C-alpha cells in the first residue's frame, strides 16, 4: 500500500532559536542519526520514480518513491522495513539491481561540540593544555591523511569525523606556557616567571622530561592522550563509536598538515588521530581483555 509523504522545506529557520523554544517547552533531544542511503533506478529508469535503501543507524527501510505533482502531497511512497541493509543490498545486486548513488548524512554538529568540550575540560599536567585538535573536514585533507596511513586503517578515514591531536614540541611549549600563564590563567609577569622556574626544576630534576626536546614533546603527547580518552568516553556515552589511530606514517602526516598550513613542525606535531562515527548496521567487534587480577595489584 502506498502512503503520501508530506514534505516541505521551511526557509529562514534559526536552529538555535527553535532549539531554545523547544527547551522552554521542556522538549528533550532524543538522539541523532547517521543516515546512509543507496539510490537505485527503476527498470526502466524514470525521472520521477526511484528506489531507496536507507538506514538511520537503527532501522533500515526499502522504499519506492514517486513524484506525481510538485505539491506538498505530491510524493507517494511504498516502504517496508528490512532487517539488514547490507544483505538487502546484496540481494538486489544478485537480482541485477546496482545502486546509482550512495549518500551519507552527518549527524548534528552539536554532538561533536559536546565531544570537543570533553577534550577541552580534560585535565593536563600543570594545567598547560599542551595539545590541540584539528577537525579534518576538508575532503582533500582527509584523502591526504588516509594516504598517509597504513592500508588497514583506510576505512577509518571514512568515519563521520576525523580528529587529529597535536602536541607541543619543546620549543613550541616554551611560548605556549607563557601564553597559558599570562593570557589564560591571568598571572602577572612576576608570578608567571616564578611558576615557570618552578616548573623547569620539576621537569629537569624531578620528572626528568626536560633533558631532550623529545622528552618534553612526549610529555605533551601524554596529556593529549588524556584528552583523547575523554573524547572516547564522551562518545561511548552518546552511543558514538570511536577508534584511536596511531597507524600512520608520522613524517607524511606532518608534511600533509604543514602543506595545509595547519601546523608548524617547530611548534606542534601530530601524535594520534581519532575516527568518530556510527558503526555500520549490525557490525560487531570481538573484544578481549585480561582478567582484573592480572591487571591490578592490591597490596
Ligand atoms: C593509542 C591507540 C592507537 C590505536 N591505533 C589504532 C590504529 O591505528 N588502527 C586500528 O584499527 N586500531 C587502533 N587502535 C585500536 C586498538 O587496536 C583497540 O583499542 C584494541 O585492539 C582494543 O579494541 P577494543 O577496545 O575494541 O576491544 C588504537 C588504540 C589506541 C588506544
Amino acid at each position: 500500500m502506498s502512503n503520501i509523504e508530506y514534505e516541505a522545506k521551511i526557509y529562514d529557520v534559526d536552529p538555535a532559536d527553535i532549539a531554545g523554544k523547544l527547551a522552554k517547552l521542556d522538549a528533550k533531544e532524543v538522539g541523532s542519526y547517521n543516515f546512509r542511503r543507496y539510490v537505485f533506478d527503476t527498470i526502466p529508469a524514470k525521472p520521477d520514480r526511484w528506489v531507496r535503501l536507507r538506514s538511520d543507524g537503527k532501522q533500515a527501510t526499502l522504499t519506492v518513491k514517486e513524484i506525481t505533482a510538485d505539491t506538498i502531497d505530491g510524493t507517494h511512497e511504498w516502504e517496508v522495513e528490512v532487517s539488514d541493509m547490507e544483505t538487502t543490498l546484496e540481494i538486489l545486486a544478485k537480482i541485477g539491481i546496482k545502486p546509482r548513488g550512495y549518500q551519507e548524512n552527518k549527524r548534528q554538529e552539536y554532538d561533536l561540540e559536546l565531544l570537543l568540550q570533553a577534550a577541552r575540560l580534560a585535565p593536563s599536567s600543570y594545567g598547560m593544555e599542551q595539545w590541540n585538535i584539528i577537525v579534518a573536514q576538508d575532503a582533500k585533507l582527509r584523502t591526504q591523511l588516509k594516504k598517509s596511513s597504513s592500508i588497514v586503517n583506510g576505512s577509518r578515514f571514512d568515519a563521520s569525523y576525523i580528529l587529529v591531536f597535536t602536541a607541543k614540541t619543546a620549543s613550541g611549549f616554551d611560548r605556549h606556557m607563557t601564553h597559558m600563564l599570562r593570557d589564560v590563567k591571568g598571572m602577572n609577569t612576576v608570578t608567571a616567571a616564578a611558576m615557570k622556574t618552578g616548573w623547569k626544576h620539576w621537569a629537569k630534576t624531578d620528572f626528568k622530561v626536560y633533558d631532550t626536546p623529545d622528552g618534553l614533546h612526549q610529555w605533551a603527547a601524554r596529556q593529549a592522550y588524556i584528552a583523547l580518552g575523554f573524547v572516547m568516553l564522551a562518545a561511548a556515552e552518546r552511543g558514538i563509536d570511536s577508534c584511536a589511530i596511531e597507524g600512520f606514517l608520522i613524517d607524511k602526516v606532518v608534511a600533509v598538515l604543514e602543506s595545509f598550513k595547519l601546523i608548524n613542525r617547530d611548534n606542534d606535531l601530530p601524535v594520534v588521530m581519532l575516527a568518530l562515527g556510527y558503526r555500520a548496521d549490525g557490525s560487531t567487534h570481538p573484544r578481549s581483555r585480561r582478567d582484573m587480577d592480572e591487571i591490578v595489584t592490591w597490596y
Side-chain angles (χ1 to χ4, degrees):
M1 196 184 78
S2 90
N3 293 315
I4 292 174
E5 183 186 33
Y6 294 91
E7 189 170 78
K9 257 193 192 137
I10 301 168
Y11 294 98
D12 284 337
V13 167
D14 176 354
D17 181 44
I18 297 287
K21 284 182 177 149
L22 287 170
K24 274 193 195 138
L25 292 170
D26 218 21
K28 301 254 180 319
E29 190 213 331
V30 289
S32 52
Y33 301 91
N34 190 30
F35 282 106
R36 297 161 58 230
R37 61 170 69 79
Y38 292 92
V39 178
F40 308 79
D41 282 327
T42 54
I43 306 168
K46 296 205 165 174
D48 296 334
R49 190 190 292 168
W50 68 96
V51 180
R52 180 191 72 195
L53 175 61
R54 183 176 78 175
S55 164
D56 62 10
K58 295 180 180 101
Q59 185 200 37
T61 51
L62 184 64
T63 314
V64 174
K65 291 199 163 236
E66 187 171 42
I67 297 176
T68 53
D70 193 15
T71 55
I72 194 165
D73 56 357
T75 304
H76 293 251
E77 64 174 34
W78 294 258
E79 184 167 271
V80 286
E81 193 179 331
V82 294
S83 56
D84 178 343
M85 176 152 150
E86 303 310 325
T87 310
T88 310
L89 189 65
E90 264 179 59
I91 291 171
L92 292 171
K94 298 261 182 237
I95 300 172
I97 305 171
K98 296 250 167 70
R100 76 163 143 82
Y102 174 72
Q103 266 186 343
E104 245 180 52
N105 287 7
K106 283 181 185 171
R107 59 203 154 77
Q108 292 105 310
E109 285 290 325
Y110 55 83
D111 266 357
L112 187 63
E113 286 294 323
L114 183 114
L115 304 190
L116 295 173
Q117 277 293 351
R120 180 171 168 263
L121 296 175
S124 54
S125 185
Y126 276 78
M128 282 300 114
E129 303 171 36
Q130 43 284 70
W131 48 266
N132 287 82
I133 295 173
I134 297 163
V135 182
Q137 289 182 293
D138 180 79
K140 283 189 190 134
L141 171 63
R142 285 174 66 124
T143 305
Q144 291 301 317
L145 290 174
K146 185 174 181 169
K147 280 188 185 160
S148 312
S149 302
S150 50
I151 291 170
V152 289
N153 278 331
S155 62
R156 311 274 178 269
F157 288 85
D158 301 329
S160 302
Y161 292 104
I162 296 289
L163 309 187
V164 184
F165 287 74
T166 63
K168 293 290 167 199
T169 62
S171 60
F173 181 70
D174 190 51
R175 206 168 326 126
H176 177 75
M177 189 170 196
T178 306
H179 161 62
M180 287 299 297
L181 297 175
R182 299 278 288 123
D183 308 328
V184 180
K185 299 193 184 295
M187 291 181 186
N188 62 35
T189 41
V190 177
T191 316
M195 188 80 189
K196 228 174 179 177
T197 306
W199 169 79
K200 222 173 241 179
H201 177 80
W202 168 84
K204 272 188 177 169
T205 315
D206 298 354
F207 213 57
K208 298 192 188 302
V209 287
Y210 202 85
D211 293 346
T212 64
D214 191 53
L216 267 192
H217 173 61
Q218 293 307 330
W219 172 69
R222 293 204 286 273
Q223 318 311 317
Y225 276 72
I226 296 174
L228 171 85
F230 269 53
V231 176
M232 292 177 83
L233 265 179
E237 209 263 328
R238 301 276 295 182
I240 299 168
D241 286 318
S242 64
C243 182
I245 304 171
E246 279 183 337
F248 57 87
L249 303 167
I250 194 139
D251 292 341
K252 279 196 178 176
V253 172
V254 170
V256 167
L257 295 178
E258 274 200 331
S259 73
F260 282 82
K261 302 205 179 334
L262 290 164
I263 60 162
N264 171 345
R265 71 178 70 200
D266 293 338
N267 299 325
D268 302 274
L269 289 171
V271 288
V272 65
M273 296 193 225
L274 183 65
L276 290 161
Y278 293 97
R279 74 183 62 187
D281 285 351
S283 75
T284 52
H285 171 69
R287 172 164 281 181
S288 62
R289 290 292 188 273
R290 290 178 295 159
D291 288 338
M292 191 65 97
D293 58 6
E294 195 187 324
I295 298 171
V296 183
T297 303
W298 294 74
Y299 182 78

